[in-house]
Amino acid sequence: MTSPRPTGAAPGTATVDYLRVHRDTPRGPRRPPLFKQYPGSVRIPLPWPAAPHPGRSAGPLALVGALTSAYAPTRLQFYTTAAMAALGGFPGTNTAPTLRGGVRRAVPSGGAYYPAELYLAVTGGYAPGPGVYHYDATHHTLETLATDDPQASLRAALGRAPTPYTLLVSCRMWKNASTYGAFGYRLGCLDTGALAGQLLHRAPDGTDLRLVFDDQALDTLLGLDPDLESVYAVVRTGPAPAVPAAPAAHPSARTPDDPAPAAPADAPAAPAPDVNAVRGLESDLELRAAAHPSAVRLHHASQRSGTADRSRDVPTWDAFRRSPGRDGPTAADRRRRPPASGRSIDLPEPLDLPEPLDLPEPLDLPEPLVPARVDAALRSAVRFSGAAMTVRQLGTLLAWLLTGSRCDITGTSPGAGQLAAYCLPSRVTGLAPGPYAYDPATHRLRPAPGTAGDGSAPTDALGGSRTAAARLFLFADLDRGLRGHGDRWYRMQHVLAGIAVQRCRLAGTALGLGCRPVSDYDSGGVRTMFGVPRGQVDVVQLLVGPAAPRAGVVDIGLSGPTDGREA
């Protein structure tokens, strides 16, 4: 097992080592099982189908069902023989298996590995009772890991009083290494952020996100082996505004003469003795043994820098679902101004999207756009039609991309949490092709500092589909962020970028657009094209544009009436 770099290494050393090699490392042994389960646990079924945003009168268990269903399987996707022939280059008459497919969820994931796992810690008298639970996405069920009230552990790990519900988003760091090698660590951080973004979108007002906490304390609370799986994001929330019943005294607080209170009807039984027998991590052990040393060092280094400033205040207003068109830029937005270069271009006012975005209500928009329910309509990969999108649609996506990621690090340390956005439109009506920097404070585009005189771009550096109408890029400040948070900065910025990806996909679906994150591009070429300031690194690229049907792909929806169709 690879040893981590000594504790005394300079902040950022592990990040720099990882960035040198992470795109060019060998793959791991084999593809792991998709789902993790605790077979010996007491299981608590959740309401199905779950309402994406339960009303204020809904019970706490309905809220838990809505939050966890953000990570439930939404469809089965199959590739027909014709599609496999087109993808693999073999004749369509080949007698290979007629279908190849897999389970898809409502959040993007590199290679559909879904390395994030979702846990729930409940305090006080809230349903389904105090304790710690793992979400079994296969059955939309909570698996009981412990029935002790976790208040003390959460307070120690987070540095503040816990909320009724604490959602703990972990990452199985090596789950996708069988395909992506060391680069899979970066993708896992993005995938974790995408799930956190989906949870933040569904959670009620007052929810906050925390990325600085005591990793060891939370991993111990969940019984995790931090060499295989570790908590990377924490979402603190509560039930719909209603006063719960006073919680019963914990059994340890009673004297021998006190009668034992009756257990609530919805309280889980004590977990079985073999609850920690986990199914689904066997291949993670193999992949960890083959993991690239640079990725292992970066993971360990990020854990060592996680306990500083845990008591930092977080805004309690609903920052995560705010509308950029109605509420305007924040102070953090104004600190993200890109370098000035050339004449700025005013973007039209962002379209006023519905909140929540995943309700199937018609939009009152000038274009004939028909939104679909996000859970069923989001695609991890889309094919673009090659048609143009409007400049107002592009501006709306840019505005939603950089709002709503406020958390315990955003705007509190120079350079930390301040993602910068750039775009490369190719087919946007009313906007000339070429590289632009986006200024969220003024909702304007400026020709990027690296733009050539003719506005051309090195398309060979971009990767991905050439039929997208535009490309969006997120960059993060490496130098100043590492000084503020050490090597933990790298994973925090990718978690924030994952949140931005999911917000862009939610908004894109509401606008009738496809949105696909891709990573197969030349980082150096992209940096040169946009002329990004020294010390900034690319985080993710998003392809956007009108989507087209994909011949030979069959989607069978799981979140409502079966709507199997050939796309």
Side-chain angles (χ1 to χ4, degrees):
M1 190 170 287
T2 306
S3 300
R5 188 174 285 270
T7 306
T13 301
T15 301
V16 173
D17 290 347
Y18 176 75
L19 288 173
R20 288 195 184 106
V21 300
H22 76 300
R23 283 186 177 269
D24 193 20
T25 56
R27 300 178 179 184
R30 65 186 174 106
R31 187 181 182 100
L34 186 59
F35 297 102
K36 173 186 178 182
Q37 293 177 320
Y38 292 81
S41 65
V42 175
R43 304 172 68 77
I44 304 172
L46 295 170
W48 185 264
H53 294 272
R56 291 180 176 270
S57 60
L61 202 59
L63 173 62
V64 173
L67 292 171
T68 54
S69 69
Y71 204 40
T74 59
R75 59 197 169 91
L76 298 174
Q77 185 180 78
F78 296 94
Y79 295 87
T80 64
T81 302
M84 293 304 297
L87 292 172
F90 54 79
T93 56
N94 191 295
T95 57
T98 56
L99 290 177
R100 178 184 175 186
V103 177
R104 299 293 185 265
R105 310 193 197 189
V107 295
S109 175
Y113 277 93
Y114 304 106
E117 295 285 342
L118 182 57
Y119 298 83
L120 174 68
V122 183
T123 62
Y126 293 88
V132 179
Y133 307 87
H134 172 256
Y135 176 58
D136 174 9
T138 313
H139 305 98
H140 191 51
T141 296
L142 293 180
E143 298 175 305
T144 307
L145 305 185
T147 54
D148 295 333
D149 194 315
Q151 286 197 49
S153 298
L154 292 173
R155 183 187 293 270
L158 301 173
R160 60 200 306 110
T163 50
Y165 295 133
T166 302
L167 295 157
L168 305 160
V169 184
S170 72
C171 180
R172 292 165 60 180
M173 293 77 66
W174 324 119
K175 188 178 180 183
N176 58 21
S178 59
T179 295
Y180 298 108
F183 189 70
Y185 178 80
R186 170 175 173 171
L187 296 180
C189 294
L190 283 168
D191 291 354
T192 302
L195 174 54
Q198 183 80 329
L199 296 171
L200 293 168
H201 171 67
R202 289 195 169 188
D205 294 0
T207 298
D208 64 50
L209 170 71
R210 303 199 75 82
L211 300 177
V212 180
F213 45 79
D214 187 332
D215 300 61
Q216 183 178 1
L218 292 184
D219 292 345
T220 300
L221 176 67
L222 302 181
L224 304 180
D225 179 351
D227 242 17
L228 301 179
E229 178 184 352
S230 184
V231 176
Y232 273 18
V234 176
V235 176
R236 303 177 345 117
T237 188
V243 180
H250 192 275
S252 62
R254 298 198 312 268
T255 66
D257 296 331
D258 291 335
D266 55 357
D274 60 345
V275 65
N276 290 324
V278 184
R279 179 183 299 157
L281 292 183
E282 297 83 359
S283 57
D284 292 53
L285 289 166
E286 298 178 15
L287 292 165
R288 167 60 183 86
H292 195 274
S294 66
V296 176
R297 284 196 295 267
L298 181 55
H299 167 61
H300 288 162
S302 69
Q303 290 182 311
R304 286 195 297 269
S305 54
T307 57
D309 300 327
R310 282 182 287 129
S311 61
R312 180 174 291 149
D313 288 333
V314 179
T316 56
W317 51 281
D318 191 20
F320 301 103
R321 286 185 283 147
R322 60 188 289 272
S323 167
R326 289 195 298 268
D327 300 334
T330 65
D333 294 333
R334 287 187 285 273
R335 287 194 289 271
R336 286 197 290 261
R337 292 178 183 268
S341 176
R343 183 178 179 181
S344 63
I345 300 171
D346 290 318
L347 290 171
E349 187 73 12
L351 291 165
D352 191 9
L353 303 182
E355 296 188 22
L357 293 177
D358 50 1
L359 287 179
E361 298 175 352
L363 285 175
D364 183 17
L365 300 176
E367 299 90 348
L369 303 175
V370 181
R373 179 176 174 181
V374 167
D375 278 357
L378 282 177
R379 298 292 185 262
S380 297
V382 298
R383 181 181 177 187
F384 298 99
S385 67
M389 61 188 293
T390 67
V391 67
R392 194 177 187 194
Q393 288 175 324
L394 176 63
T396 301
L397 293 182
L398 286 168
W400 279 88
L401 187 71
L402 287 184
T403 56
S405 59
R406 188 182 298 271
C407 65
D408 54 349
I409 68 166
T410 302
T412 58
S413 181
Q418 297 172 16
L419 297 171
Y422 295 79
C423 72
L424 181 67
S426 54
R427 283 177 292 278
V428 178
T429 56
L431 186 62
Y436 295 90
Y438 175 62
D439 183 352
T442 61
H443 194 50
R444 291 176 178 172
L445 293 177
R446 296 177 182 272
T451 303
D454 58 357
S456 62
T459 55
D460 56 338
L462 300 176
S465 171
R466 303 295 173 86
T467 56
R471 298 168 184 266
L472 313 180
F473 289 85
L474 289 178
F475 287 80
D477 192 309
L478 176 66
D479 294 339
R480 297 196 306 183
L482 290 177
R483 288 200 297 268
H485 294 275
D487 289 296
R488 192 184 188 87
W489 170 93
Y490 187 82
R491 95 177 191 199
M492 291 192 299
Q493 299 304 296
H494 280 77
V495 169
L496 291 176
I499 294 173
V501 166
Q502 186 63 2
R503 282 182 61 84
C504 188
R505 295 178 81 237
L506 290 166
T509 301
L511 292 171
L513 301 173
C515 177
R516 178 186 178 188
V518 295
S519 300
D520 58 339
Y521 58 89
D522 177 8
S523 296
V526 167
R527 285 174 46 81
T528 300
M529 174 179 61
F530 289 114
V532 296
R534 180 181 178 84
Q536 287 196 3
V537 296
D538 57 288
V539 181
V540 70
Q541 175 187 198
L542 281 164
L543 307 184
V544 296
R550 291 190 294 162
V553 178
V554 179
D555 281 312
I556 302 175
L558 300 176
S559 57
T562 301
D563 58 351
R565 59 185 174 84
E566 185 166 352

